[in-house]
Amino acid sequence: MKTRIHTSTATFGYLLAVIGSACYGLNPLFAIPLYDEGVTPMSVLFYRYAISTMLIGMYMLSRGKSFRMTKNEALATTVMGCLFAGSSAGLFYSFKYMDPGLASVILFTYPLREFGIISEQFQLS
């Protein structure tokens, strides 16, 4: 079954993706000064996720959304959350050991490079 997406909805989706990428790309701008003040990468991530959890929770409460999940949803959310936390921890720790711009470029281009390698390996076109 193919879902039809309206042009205005797709445009809004692209806009949100660009905004999200820009915000994620600004991570070093806020993390590096905190490191200079002695804050650890794990502390930065803790506060980052705590604040975002509170904001999303307030949004869900204001919209009357349920927090209820099935066991399968909770398991999938936990696994994906751990993978994302590992990705974030790797990125934020890399800022201490290499140029943050290079670390961000590696993070953002990695999926494209993997696709190229897999395409070459399996002769996908």
Side-chain angles (χ1 to χ4, degrees), residues 75-91:
L75 177 62
T77 301
T78 301
V79 169
M80 289 185 292
C82 289
L83 291 171
F84 187 70
S87 170
S88 295
L91 177 65

Side-chain angles (χ1 to χ4, degrees), residues 96-113:
K96 293 179 74 72
Y97 301 103
M98 65 187 299
D99 181 73
L102 180 59
S104 296
V105 167
I106 291 170
L107 175 78
F108 281 113
T109 60
Y110 180 77
L112 184 60
R113 285 179 293 145

Side-chain angles (χ1 to χ4, degrees), residues 23-86:
C23 290
Y24 202 76
L26 290 175
N27 280 333
L29 183 66
F30 300 104
I32 302 303
L34 292 173
Y35 295 168
D36 292 342
E37 294 295 322
V39 180
T40 66
M42 290 309 268
S43 293
V44 172
L45 288 173
F46 172 80
Y47 288 110
R48 175 180 179 219
Y49 287 128
I51 292 167
S52 64
T53 299
M54 288 187 288
L55 291 173
I56 291 170
M58 289 187 300
Y59 172 80
M60 288 177 66
L61 285 173
S62 72
R63 299 288 178 149
K65 303 284 184 185
S66 174
F67 289 88
R68 185 175 303 273
M69 286 192 281
T70 66
K71 288 181 184 178
N72 286 340
E73 290 170 337
L75 177 62
T77 301
T78 301
V79 169
M80 289 185 292
C82 289
L83 291 171
F84 187 70

